Amino acid sequence: MQIRQIEQPITSNTFTLSDAPDRLGWLVPTDPYQSRTALLAQYQAQGYLWLKGILKRDNVLDFRRRFFEAFADTGLLVEGTAPVEGLYSGGGKGRVSKILGEIVQWASYEAFCLAPEIWQFYENLLVGPVYLHKRKLIRATTPDDSCTGAHYDLTYLRAGTDRICTSWIPIGDVPIEMGGLIYLEGSDALGRQLEAEFSAKNAQMPPEERINAYNKNMSETGWLTKDLPLLANRLNSRWLMADYEAGDMVIHSPYMIHASTTNTRMTMRLSTDIRYQLVRDEIDPRWTANWSPDDKL
Ligand SMILES: O=C(O)CCC(=O)C(=O)O
């Protein structure tokens, strides 16, 4: 297990996690080439698998370069730097959303998300032909961005199977100081319990309302909270962090509670989060179109 000195305070929105070191830990890395039985057992026990080096680092970095090249004339990158570095200038965000809306439609992005290493991993784990959801998110985060609050993914995917898996893929190295995903240890069980409670509360609503992550029983964002230290305290748990490297992929269950931390560096944290499931399981129809900035999902 990875233990090292953290260089900067770890914060998420306005909350500081590193003030309570006993509430922090590290993700356990997994060798992606173990037997299915071992992988499944670990996935079920942890709610996540941090698959070290499952993707080819060079391919990941090549996509990082391509991604940032699309912003070459926007002022987002420090002038004169190589796009692959993803060095944030401190401004130039005016056209980001529009360009992201194009990038999610790129054939090369789809090909990246459909890397054989990924779909073959899922076919082995889930046993059967798999489906990649069309709605895929790609995020380039900077120190002035807000962080993702604590949530579990099924909140946003209630009209489909709960045997769905999320892949969170760092597109570049993402040490903890750069604000990658963090996971609440052992929270898959809590996510299941919370979702059962929401289902009971939402039962009388019309179907469209019942599956809505923002219905009147939920928070404005669908998040459980932004106060990550309080959540860990209440549940007597820890937030698990990692120093992700290009080539890694984390998969998590739709009940596993996770969030992100602040990127304290001017190097942008580029990542994509995509969802796979067995094609024969129910597919949430709201996720069958490309992400767009105003899809309200
Ligand atoms: O990358 C992020 O900040 C959030 C990603 C996320 O919530 C997910 O992968 O499910």
Side-chain angles (χ1 to χ4, degrees):
M1 197 171 312
Q2 198 173 0
I3 307 279
R4 71 166 177 90
Q5 210 56 34
I6 299 166
E7 284 169 27
Q8 257 109 28
I10 304 298
T11 65
S12 184
N13 297 310
T14 53
F15 303 96
T16 305
L17 286 113
S18 42
D19 283 351
D22 53 329
R23 295 275 172 231
L24 286 177
W26 295 94
L27 289 185
V28 176
T30 291
D31 168 5
Y33 302 106
Q34 293 171 65
S35 70
R36 174 180 181 268
T37 313
L39 291 167
L40 190 64
Q42 204 180 357
Y43 179 61
Q44 287 170 342
Q46 298 180 159
Y48 73 88
L49 291 176
W50 175 21
L51 301 164
K52 286 300 299 171
I54 187 170
L55 300 172
K56 292 186 189 74
R57 182 178 173 86
D58 285 354
N59 291 354
V60 175
L61 294 179
D62 189 54
F63 187 74
R64 181 180 173 88
R65 174 190 56 75
R66 233 172 213 281
F67 177 94
F68 284 119
E69 275 175 1
F71 295 90
D73 65 349
T74 62
L76 183 71
L77 305 175
V78 175
E79 231 181 279
T81 57
V84 69
E85 289 180 48
L87 261 190
Y88 178 45
S89 66
K93 288 196 173 179
R95 283 162 49 211
V96 167
S97 189
K98 183 172 179 301
I99 296 172
L100 284 180
E102 289 171 7
I103 291 175
V104 295
Q105 301 180 65
W106 285 358
S108 58
Y109 174 54
E110 182 138 84
F112 179 81
C113 298
L114 278 169
E117 296 90 333
I118 306 178
W119 66 258
Q120 287 169 4
F121 177 84
Y122 278 122
E123 286 211 349
N124 175 48
L125 187 75
L126 301 175
V127 192
V130 291
Y131 169 80
L132 167 65
H133 280 253
K134 184 144 189 183
R135 186 170 187 272
K136 305 186 270 316
L137 293 99
I138 186 157
R139 312 173 197 240
T141 66
T142 60
D144 48 10
D145 280 326
S146 56
C147 301
T148 304
H151 69 282
Y152 58 92
D153 288 356
L154 202 71
T155 311
Y156 307 95
L157 285 147
R158 288 183 169 135
T161 179
D162 71 348
R163 298 204 301 167
I164 192 169
C165 299
T166 296
S167 277
W168 186 85
I169 306 174
I171 307 175
D173 295 338
V174 182
I176 180 63
E177 289 80 6
M178 279 179 64
L181 271 207
I182 55 172
Y183 290 89
L184 191 63
E185 190 170 34
S187 62
D188 179 274
L190 174 69
R192 284 172 199 274
Q193 186 193 319
L194 290 172
E195 187 57 14
E197 288 167 15
F198 285 129
S199 294
K201 275 195 210 157
N202 297 344
Q204 302 313 319
M205 293 177 173
E208 214 174 291
E209 192 60 17
R210 192 167 51 218
I211 57 167
N212 190 336
Y214 317 107
N215 71 34
K216 69 173 166 50
N217 292 325
M218 308 293 301
S219 74
E220 214 173 281
T221 51
W223 295 342
L224 301 169
T225 180
K226 283 189 197 175
D227 191 341
L228 307 187
L230 183 72
L231 191 63
N233 259 335
R234 278 217 182 121
L235 299 168
N236 193 19
S237 185
R238 301 186 302 165
W239 285 102
L240 304 181
M241 325 170 277
D243 290 327
Y244 301 104
E245 292 174 292
D248 295 354
M249 171 172 87
V250 201
I251 74 165
H252 61 252
S253 94
Y255 295 109
M256 188 69 187
I257 297 172
H258 55 283
S260 75
T261 57
T262 311
N263 181 359
T264 63
R265 301 202 179 146
M266 294 305 269
T267 301
M268 282 181 267
R269 179 269 263 186
L270 184 62
S271 63
T272 187
D273 44 288
I274 58 176
R275 276 114 199 130
Y276 272 88
Q277 64 171 84
L278 285 174
V279 73
R280 64 168 179 261
D281 283 345
E282 191 145 11
I283 294 170
D284 189 325
R286 299 169 303 168
W287 283 65
T288 54
N290 281 316
W291 171 87
S292 79
D294 50 5
D295 67 14
K296 298 196 174 66
L297 268 176

